[in-house]
Amino acid sequence: MSLIKLIDFPQLGDSRGSLVALEGKNQVPFDIKRVYYIFGTKEGVARGFHAHKALKQVAVCISGSCKMVMDNGREKQEVILDNPSQGLLIDVMQWHEMYDFSHDCVLLVLANDVYDEADYIRDYSTFLESVK
């Protein structure tokens, strides 16, 4: 089973340019309750290093590129996000790390719930214990 679950979003548009529309329970497999984006990441900086107990997310690199490692406690897989018409599903209990951000990277994240610090697992050994 692949840890990398990419969602291809339909591209709309014409000679003027492209457009991608994202709707909860349509292109995104859940209701969207929170949207945030990461940008201006300095060279050599990595982010993430956590998992969520209940939160589901879809990450879309709308500009530039970055790499993500997805980890379920048994295996790890890496993916390059560099296509604004494709999203990466970050499911529950998936440790994820983002790195190698291009200077122009804008990483948009759609989440199925609002921010809740209690939902985070920020210690890798705790995560491994949780997925046994």
Side-chain angles (χ1 to χ4, degrees):
M1 180 178 95
S2 178
L3 296 174
I4 306 302
K5 296 177 183 161
L6 295 171
I7 303 168
D8 292 315
F9 304 127
Q11 286 189 49
L12 308 171
D14 53 29
S15 61
R16 299 170 294 170
S18 297
L19 180 144
V20 171
L22 301 176
E23 298 173 355
K25 290 192 175 176
N26 196 347
Q27 296 84 5
V28 176
F30 49 75
D31 282 331
I32 300 165
K33 292 190 178 176
R34 182 172 183 238
V35 177
Y36 64 93
Y37 49 96
I38 298 167
F39 66 100
T41 305
K42 306 295 183 223
E43 186 175 335
V45 170
R47 300 193 55 141
F49 300 96
H50 64 270
H52 291 280
K53 299 171 193 169
L55 190 72
K56 292 183 180 185
Q57 301 175 99
V58 171
V60 183
C61 196
I62 57 175
S63 179
S65 66
C66 70
K67 294 179 183 172
M68 287 190 76
V69 170
M70 303 299 294
D71 180 346
N72 66 5
R74 294 175 299 286
E75 63 178 310
K76 295 180 184 183
Q77 292 180 350
E78 180 183 83
V79 64
I80 297 172
L81 298 180
D82 62 357
N83 181 345
S85 65
Q86 195 171 61
L88 173 67
L89 178 63
I90 305 170
D91 215 337
V92 298
M93 296 306 289
Q94 285 189 324
W95 187 267
H96 51 285
E97 303 171 8
M98 298 94 70
Y99 64 99
D100 201 13
F101 293 87
S102 65
H103 73 280
D104 59 342
C105 181
V106 178
L107 184 64
L108 176 76
V109 182
L110 311 168
N112 74 334
D113 209 347
V114 297
Y115 176 82
D116 178 6
E117 181 60 33
D119 186 60
Y120 282 72
I121 300 174
R122 297 186 184 273
D123 178 74
Y124 189 68
S125 58
T126 302
F127 165 73
L128 291 176
E129 284 295 316
S130 299
V131 294
K132 276 187 174 181

